[in-house]
Amino acid sequence: MEGKPQTVVYLSEQVIVLISCALSFLGSSLIILTYIIWPDLRTTPRKLLVYLSVSDWLSAVSYAVGVWKVFHSDSVDCVVQGAISTFANTSSFFWTVAIAVYLYVLIVRTSQRLADRLVLVFHLVSWGIPLVITVTAVSLKKIGYDASEVSVGWCWVRIQANDRYLWMLLTGKIWEFLAYITLPVIYILIKRHIHIAHDALSEYRPILANRPLSQSFSSMADVKLTLIPIVFIVLRIWSTVRFILLLADSPVRNNPILVTLHGIGNTFQGAANCIMFVLLTQPIRTRLCTTLCHCSKCRAEAQNSHDITHKLLPGQDTLTQKEEDSTTDARTDR
């Protein structure tokens, strides 16, 4: 392994992955901002989504630094970048599963109290386990330059570590594999429960069940429940493929297309969550459009006022004011 050259990260791959990082940064920021701006949106599920977005935000920033620099040694900044991305990426896995578990308890088990009690557990697990793993890996000098064998320029597990495969599992891959299994199972159970409940409701309340608005909201919720595990797997599967190819010592893992897909998959999660939970959520989308239109209108009015002022000749605004004052005085004398 030491005698093999590192995976070449081409400029085109850097540009594409950096764009993905930027979109994820903006998407995660938008989720956080909408939660802060509108208090009535501060439900527990959306609060959990904000915690996930914080992890995705950190991932996007740290990965962007790695892709921009493309590290070549175990430098201090390489270790710092690798530690932050390891912590954030692992935390993102846990929060993604935590949201699924919360929805399962809330919808299928119909226990609001139990679901809310689990939030503290989610914090301990989703922040605590990644932190312990990352601190341990850094302390044992397992985080560092990995020759882009299972990355796209950023640092992760040191490629020279004898037990690198074990630490690759502990710092990400084992949690990724568990998420592949857990997420589809949980969301299938939720969808099944909702469909059974909807069928029972439509039997006794056919008028409500046949309302177009009710159908539209139900269909959108159904689409989201389907998309969440699918999007997660589609984005993350490329890094898993490269990891398996690394275990098999296959040169295919260095294929530029596969490397690019890996880079996009690891960095686009924040943007994907923004699309699903902001842009595809009608109440939030409507508020955003209203806010943007209002801001555009205000800017247009300010620009028009600014243009009118600048169209006046020097001193013309003063003369106009004097003429208005004279007219007012004349009316007063009459």
Side-chain angles (χ1 to χ4, degrees), residues 76 78-84 86-87 130-144 156 158 167 171:
V76 175
C78 169
V79 175
V80 171
Q81 182 274 315
I84 294 175
T86 298
F87 168 78
L131 182 61
V132 170
I133 292 174
T134 304
V135 170
T136 304
V138 172
S139 301
L140 296 176
K141 297 182 179 180
K142 302 300 180 180
I143 300 296
W156 188 29
R158 291 178 66 247
W167 281 100
T171 57

Side-chain angles (χ1 to χ4, degrees), residues 222-274:
D222 190 62
V223 168
K224 286 183 182 179
L225 290 174
T226 303
L227 283 177
I228 290 171
I230 291 178
V231 168
F232 179 85
I233 293 173
V234 168
L235 289 178
R236 296 291 183 173
I237 195 65
W238 310 109
S239 65
T240 304
V241 170
R242 287 194 72 201
F243 176 69
I244 294 173
L245 292 173
L246 175 65
L247 295 179
D249 197 23
S250 172
V252 178
R253 68 179 181 276
N254 299 330
N255 182 280
I257 296 177
L258 185 58
V259 171
T260 303
L261 290 173
H262 176 195
I264 295 173
N266 267 43
T267 59
F268 198 73
Q269 189 67 52
N273 289 336
C274 180

Side-chain angles (χ1 to χ4, degrees), residues 65-180:
V65 172
V67 175
W68 177 267
K69 297 194 69 172
V70 185
F71 294 101
H72 297 284
S73 64
D74 291 320
S75 58
V76 175
D77 51 349
C78 169
V79 175
V80 171
Q81 182 274 315
I84 294 175
S85 62
T86 298
F87 168 78
N89 196 46
T90 308
S91 178
S92 179
F93 293 150
F94 281 104
W95 279 117
T96 302
V97 175
I99 292 173
V101 172
Y102 181 89
L103 293 177
Y104 174 81
V105 174
L106 184 65
I107 296 173
V108 179
R109 297 284 298 275
T110 63
S111 177
Q112 178 75 53
R113 180 178 297 180
L114 177 59
D116 291 339
R117 285 179 178 175
L118 285 174
V119 174
L120 178 59
V121 178
F122 294 154
H123 278 289
L124 294 175
V125 172
S126 301
W127 300 125
I129 293 179
L131 182 61
V132 170
I133 292 174
T134 304
V135 170
T136 304
V138 172
S139 301
L140 296 176
K141 297 182 179 180
K142 302 300 180 180
I143 300 296
Y145 173 64
D146 75 339
S148 295
E149 288 291 339
V150 196
S151 69
V152 188
W154 58 76
C155 293
W156 188 29
V157 177
R158 291 178 66 247
I159 200 65
Q160 294 181 352
N162 294 328
D163 51 354
R164 55 184 173 273
Y165 299 131
L166 172 62
W167 281 100
M168 285 179 181
L169 288 171
L170 291 175
T171 57
K173 292 307 169 187
I174 190 171
W175 314 114
E176 195 173 66
F177 291 141
L178 291 175
Y180 287 154

